PDB file of all heavy atoms in Angstrom:
ATOM      1  N   HIS A  33     125.800 -60.870  60.471  1.00  0.00           N
ATOM      2  CA  HIS A  33     125.072 -61.774  59.593  1.00  0.00           C
ATOM      3  C   HIS A  33     126.106 -62.553  58.784  1.00  0.00           C
ATOM      4  O   HIS A  33     127.088 -61.987  58.296  1.00  0.00           O
ATOM      5  CB  HIS A  33     124.149 -61.004  58.657  1.00  0.00           C
ATOM      6  CG  HIS A  33     122.998 -60.355  59.358  1.00  0.00           C
ATOM      7  ND1 HIS A  33     122.021 -59.658  58.670  1.00  0.00           N
ATOM      8  CD2 HIS A  33     122.651 -60.301  60.663  1.00  0.00           C
ATOM      9  CE1 HIS A  33     121.132 -59.194  59.533  1.00  0.00           C
ATOM     10  NE2 HIS A  33     121.497 -59.573  60.745  1.00  0.00           N
ATOM     11  N   MET A  34     125.871 -63.833  58.635  1.00  0.00           N
ATOM     12  CA  MET A  34     126.812 -64.705  57.943  1.00  0.00           C
ATOM     13  C   MET A  34     126.115 -65.421  56.795  1.00  0.00           C
ATOM     14  O   MET A  34     124.896 -65.613  56.807  1.00  0.00           O
ATOM     15  CB  MET A  34     127.401 -65.735  58.909  1.00  0.00           C
ATOM     16  CG  MET A  34     128.075 -65.138  60.141  1.00  0.00           C
ATOM     17  SD  MET A  34     129.591 -64.230  59.738  1.00  0.00           S
ATOM     18  CE  MET A  34     130.643 -65.574  59.155  1.00  0.00           C
ATOM     19  N   ALA A  35     126.903 -65.831  55.803  1.00  0.00           N
ATOM     20  CA  ALA A  35     126.317 -66.458  54.628  1.00  0.00           C
ATOM     21  C   ALA A  35     127.286 -67.437  53.987  1.00  0.00           C
ATOM     22  O   ALA A  35     128.499 -67.381  54.209  1.00  0.00           O
ATOM     23  CB  ALA A  35     125.900 -65.400  53.599  1.00  0.00           C
ATOM     24  N   TRP A  36     126.708 -68.334  53.196  1.00  0.00           N
ATOM     25  CA  TRP A  36     127.463 -69.237  52.341  1.00  0.00           C
ATOM     26  C   TRP A  36     127.149 -68.931  50.882  1.00  0.00           C
ATOM     27  O   TRP A  36     125.982 -68.736  50.516  1.00  0.00           O
ATOM     28  CB  TRP A  36     127.118 -70.704  52.615  1.00  0.00           C
ATOM     29  CG  TRP A  36     127.595 -71.214  53.937  1.00  0.00           C
ATOM     30  CD1 TRP A  36     126.889 -71.299  55.096  1.00  0.00           C
ATOM     31  CD2 TRP A  36     128.903 -71.734  54.222  1.00  0.00           C
ATOM     32  NE1 TRP A  36     127.666 -71.832  56.092  1.00  0.00           N
ATOM     33  CE2 TRP A  36     128.899 -72.109  55.585  1.00  0.00           C
ATOM     34  CE3 TRP A  36     130.055 -71.924  53.466  1.00  0.00           C
ATOM     35  CZ2 TRP A  36     130.031 -72.665  56.209  1.00  0.00           C
ATOM     36  CZ3 TRP A  36     131.176 -72.466  54.086  1.00  0.00           C
ATOM     37  CH2 TRP A  36     131.148 -72.824  55.435  1.00  0.00           C
ATOM     38  N   PHE A  37     128.179 -68.889  50.062  1.00  0.00           N
ATOM     39  CA  PHE A  37     128.063 -68.781  48.616  1.00  0.00           C
ATOM     40  C   PHE A  37     128.824 -69.937  47.990  1.00  0.00           C
ATOM     41  O   PHE A  37     129.635 -70.595  48.647  1.00  0.00           O
ATOM     42  CB  PHE A  37     128.629 -67.454  48.108  1.00  0.00           C
ATOM     43  CG  PHE A  37     127.801 -66.251  48.459  1.00  0.00           C
ATOM     44  CD1 PHE A  37     127.835 -65.706  49.734  1.00  0.00           C
ATOM     45  CD2 PHE A  37     126.984 -65.654  47.510  1.00  0.00           C
ATOM     46  CE1 PHE A  37     127.079 -64.600  50.063  1.00  0.00           C
ATOM     47  CE2 PHE A  37     126.220 -64.537  47.826  1.00  0.00           C
ATOM     48  CZ  PHE A  37     126.268 -64.012  49.094  1.00  0.00           C
ATOM     49  N   ARG A  38     128.575 -70.183  46.708  1.00  0.00           N
ATOM     50  CA  ARG A  38     129.324 -71.215  46.000  1.00  0.00           C
ATOM     51  C   ARG A  38     129.558 -70.792  44.567  1.00  0.00           C
ATOM     52  O   ARG A  38     128.790 -70.028  43.988  1.00  0.00           O
ATOM     53  CB  ARG A  38     128.607 -72.571  46.054  1.00  0.00           C
ATOM     54  CG  ARG A  38     127.281 -72.623  45.312  1.00  0.00           C
ATOM     55  CD  ARG A  38     126.602 -73.965  45.553  1.00  0.00           C
ATOM     56  NE  ARG A  38     125.353 -74.098  44.823  1.00  0.00           N
ATOM     57  CZ  ARG A  38     124.521 -75.119  44.941  1.00  0.00           C
ATOM     58  NH1 ARG A  38     124.817 -76.127  45.775  1.00  0.00           N
ATOM     59  NH2 ARG A  38     123.398 -75.163  44.236  1.00  0.00           N
ATOM     60  N   GLN A  39     130.640 -71.320  43.994  1.00  0.00           N
ATOM     61  CA  GLN A  39     131.003 -71.000  42.625  1.00  0.00           C
ATOM     62  C   GLN A  39     131.461 -72.265  41.923  1.00  0.00           C
ATOM     63  O   GLN A  39     132.472 -72.864  42.297  1.00  0.00           O
ATOM     64  CB  GLN A  39     132.096 -69.937  42.581  1.00  0.00           C
ATOM     65  CG  GLN A  39     132.411 -69.433  41.182  1.00  0.00           C
ATOM     66  CD  GLN A  39     133.317 -68.219  41.205  1.00  0.00           C
ATOM     67  OE1 GLN A  39     134.122 -68.046  42.109  1.00  0.00           O
ATOM     68  NE2 GLN A  39     133.177 -67.365  40.201  1.00  0.00           N
ATOM     69  N   ALA A  40     130.711 -72.665  40.911  1.00  0.00           N
ATOM     70  CA  ALA A  40     131.055 -73.812  40.093  1.00  0.00           C
ATOM     71  C   ALA A  40     131.939 -73.359  38.939  1.00  0.00           C
ATOM     72  O   ALA A  40     131.935 -72.184  38.567  1.00  0.00           O
ATOM     73  CB  ALA A  40     129.792 -74.486  39.566  1.00  0.00           C
ATOM     74  N   PRO A  41     132.701 -74.276  38.344  1.00  0.00           N
ATOM     75  CA  PRO A  41     133.563 -73.897  37.224  1.00  0.00           C
ATOM     76  C   PRO A  41     132.788 -73.220  36.108  1.00  0.00           C
ATOM     77  O   PRO A  41     131.756 -73.726  35.656  1.00  0.00           O
ATOM     78  CB  PRO A  41     134.147 -75.236  36.765  1.00  0.00           C
ATOM     79  CG  PRO A  41     134.125 -76.088  37.986  1.00  0.00           C
ATOM     80  CD  PRO A  41     132.868 -75.693  38.709  1.00  0.00           C
ATOM     81  N   GLY A  42     133.265 -72.065  35.676  1.00  0.00           N
ATOM     82  CA  GLY A  42     132.633 -71.334  34.599  1.00  0.00           C
ATOM     83  C   GLY A  42     131.350 -70.623  34.967  1.00  0.00           C
ATOM     84  O   GLY A  42     130.680 -70.078  34.079  1.00  0.00           O
ATOM     85  N   GLN A  43     130.987 -70.614  36.243  1.00  0.00           N
ATOM     86  CA  GLN A  43     129.740 -70.007  36.691  1.00  0.00           C
ATOM     87  C   GLN A  43     129.995 -68.817  37.603  1.00  0.00           C
ATOM     88  O   GLN A  43     131.099 -68.624  38.106  1.00  0.00           O
ATOM     89  CB  GLN A  43     128.875 -71.037  37.421  1.00  0.00           C
ATOM     90  CG  GLN A  43     128.560 -72.273  36.614  1.00  0.00           C
ATOM     91  CD  GLN A  43     127.723 -71.970  35.398  1.00  0.00           C
ATOM     92  OE1 GLN A  43     126.760 -71.208  35.477  1.00  0.00           O
ATOM     93  NE2 GLN A  43     128.096 -72.555  34.265  1.00  0.00           N
ATOM     94  N   ASP A  44     128.946 -68.024  37.827  1.00  0.00           N
ATOM     95  CA  ASP A  44     129.018 -66.928  38.776  1.00  0.00           C
ATOM     96  C   ASP A  44     129.025 -67.463  40.199  1.00  0.00           C
ATOM     97  O   ASP A  44     128.670 -68.621  40.451  1.00  0.00           O
ATOM     98  CB  ASP A  44     127.831 -65.979  38.599  1.00  0.00           C
ATOM     99  CG  ASP A  44     127.833 -65.262  37.273  1.00  0.00           C
ATOM    100  OD1 ASP A  44     128.921 -65.045  36.711  1.00  0.00           O
ATOM    101  OD2 ASP A  44     126.737 -64.899  36.795  1.00  0.00           O
ATOM    102  N   ARG A  45     129.419 -66.614  41.124  1.00  0.00           N
ATOM    103  CA  ARG A  45     129.345 -66.964  42.534  1.00  0.00           C
ATOM    104  C   ARG A  45     127.903 -66.767  43.005  1.00  0.00           C
ATOM    105  O   ARG A  45     127.375 -65.653  42.973  1.00  0.00           O
ATOM    106  CB  ARG A  45     130.305 -66.109  43.355  1.00  0.00           C
ATOM    107  CG  ARG A  45     130.330 -66.457  44.829  1.00  0.00           C
ATOM    108  CD  ARG A  45     131.379 -65.635  45.572  1.00  0.00           C
ATOM    109  NE  ARG A  45     132.736 -66.011  45.176  1.00  0.00           N
ATOM    110  CZ  ARG A  45     133.837 -65.456  45.693  1.00  0.00           C
ATOM    111  NH1 ARG A  45     133.734 -64.493  46.604  1.00  0.00           N
ATOM    112  NH2 ARG A  45     135.026 -65.848  45.285  1.00  0.00           N
ATOM    113  N   ASP A  46     127.256 -67.842  43.426  1.00  0.00           N
ATOM    114  CA  ASP A  46     125.835 -67.835  43.740  1.00  0.00           C
ATOM    115  C   ASP A  46     125.580 -67.936  45.236  1.00  0.00           C
ATOM    116  O   ASP A  46     126.304 -68.615  45.971  1.00  0.00           O
ATOM    117  CB  ASP A  46     125.119 -68.992  43.047  1.00  0.00           C
ATOM    118  CG  ASP A  46     125.082 -68.839  41.543  1.00  0.00           C
ATOM    119  OD1 ASP A  46     125.045 -67.692  41.057  1.00  0.00           O
ATOM    120  OD2 ASP A  46     125.080 -69.868  40.843  1.00  0.00           O
ATOM    121  N   PHE A  47     124.508 -67.291  45.652  1.00  0.00           N
ATOM    122  CA  PHE A  47     124.059 -67.362  47.032  1.00  0.00           C
ATOM    123  C   PHE A  47     123.559 -68.764  47.367  1.00  0.00           C
ATOM    124  O   PHE A  47     122.890 -69.404  46.558  1.00  0.00           O
ATOM    125  CB  PHE A  47     122.936 -66.346  47.256  1.00  0.00           C
ATOM    126  CG  PHE A  47     122.248 -66.456  48.585  1.00  0.00           C
ATOM    127  CD1 PHE A  47     122.846 -65.970  49.731  1.00  0.00           C
ATOM    128  CD2 PHE A  47     121.001 -67.048  48.686  1.00  0.00           C
ATOM    129  CE1 PHE A  47     122.221 -66.063  50.957  1.00  0.00           C
ATOM    130  CE2 PHE A  47     120.358 -67.147  49.905  1.00  0.00           C
ATOM    131  CZ  PHE A  47     120.968 -66.657  51.042  1.00  0.00           C
ATOM    132  N   VAL A  48     123.876 -69.232  48.580  1.00  0.00           N
ATOM    133  CA  VAL A  48     123.416 -70.527  49.055  1.00  0.00           C
ATOM    134  C   VAL A  48     122.498 -70.373  50.264  1.00  0.00           C
ATOM    135  O   VAL A  48     121.358 -70.840  50.259  1.00  0.00           O
ATOM    136  CB  VAL A  48     124.589 -71.460  49.410  1.00  0.00           C
ATOM    137  CG1 VAL A  48     124.077 -72.776  49.987  1.00  0.00           C
ATOM    138  CG2 VAL A  48     125.464 -71.707  48.189  1.00  0.00           C
ATOM    139  N   ALA A  49     122.990 -69.713  51.320  1.00  0.00           N
ATOM    140  CA  ALA A  49     122.214 -69.575  52.543  1.00  0.00           C
ATOM    141  C   ALA A  49     122.789 -68.445  53.384  1.00  0.00           C
ATOM    142  O   ALA A  49     123.965 -68.110  53.276  1.00  0.00           O
ATOM    143  CB  ALA A  49     122.214 -70.871  53.350  1.00  0.00           C
ATOM    144  N   ALA A  50     121.950 -67.860  54.242  1.00  0.00           N
ATOM    145  CA  ALA A  50     122.376 -66.807  55.150  1.00  0.00           C
ATOM    146  C   ALA A  50     121.681 -66.972  56.487  1.00  0.00           C
ATOM    147  O   ALA A  50     120.602 -67.568  56.573  1.00  0.00           O
ATOM    148  CB  ALA A  50     122.082 -65.426  54.568  1.00  0.00           C
ATOM    149  N   ILE A  51     122.291 -66.415  57.533  1.00  0.00           N
ATOM    150  CA  ILE A  51     121.736 -66.484  58.877  1.00  0.00           C
ATOM    151  C   ILE A  51     122.010 -65.183  59.609  1.00  0.00           C
ATOM    152  O   ILE A  51     123.097 -64.613  59.488  1.00  0.00           O
ATOM    153  CB  ILE A  51     122.294 -67.703  59.651  1.00  0.00           C
ATOM    154  CG1 ILE A  51     121.573 -67.889  60.983  1.00  0.00           C
ATOM    155  CG2 ILE A  51     123.807 -67.574  59.855  1.00  0.00           C
ATOM    156  CD1 ILE A  51     121.870 -69.237  61.639  1.00  0.00           C
ATOM    157  N   GLY A  52     121.017 -64.691  60.353  1.00  0.00           N
ATOM    158  CA  GLY A  52     121.143 -63.454  61.094  1.00  0.00           C
ATOM    159  C   GLY A  52     121.532 -63.673  62.539  1.00  0.00           C
ATOM    160  O   GLY A  52     121.957 -64.757  62.937  1.00  0.00           O
ATOM    161  N   ARG A  53     121.396 -62.603  63.346  1.00  0.00           N
ATOM    162  CA  ARG A  53     121.680 -62.722  64.771  1.00  0.00           C
ATOM    163  C   ARG A  53     120.749 -63.719  65.438  1.00  0.00           C
ATOM    164  O   ARG A  53     121.171 -64.529  66.265  1.00  0.00           O
ATOM    165  CB  ARG A  53     121.549 -61.360  65.453  1.00  0.00           C
ATOM    166  CG  ARG A  53     122.531 -60.311  64.985  1.00  0.00           C
ATOM    167  CD  ARG A  53     122.362 -59.053  65.809  1.00  0.00           C
ATOM    168  NE  ARG A  53     123.192 -57.961  65.343  1.00  0.00           N
ATOM    169  CZ  ARG A  53     123.282 -56.782  65.946  1.00  0.00           C
ATOM    170  NH1 ARG A  53     122.577 -56.550  67.048  1.00  0.00           N
ATOM    171  NH2 ARG A  53     124.065 -55.837  65.452  1.00  0.00           N
TER     172      ARG A  53
END
Side-chain angles (χ1 to χ4, degrees):
H33 291 183
M34 304 292 294
W36 291 96
F37 289 77
R38 66 186 182 186
Q39 187 170 29
Q43 304 296 316
D44 294 332
R45 183 176 292 181
D46 292 329
F47 171 77
V48 176
I51 188 167
R53 297 184 185 184

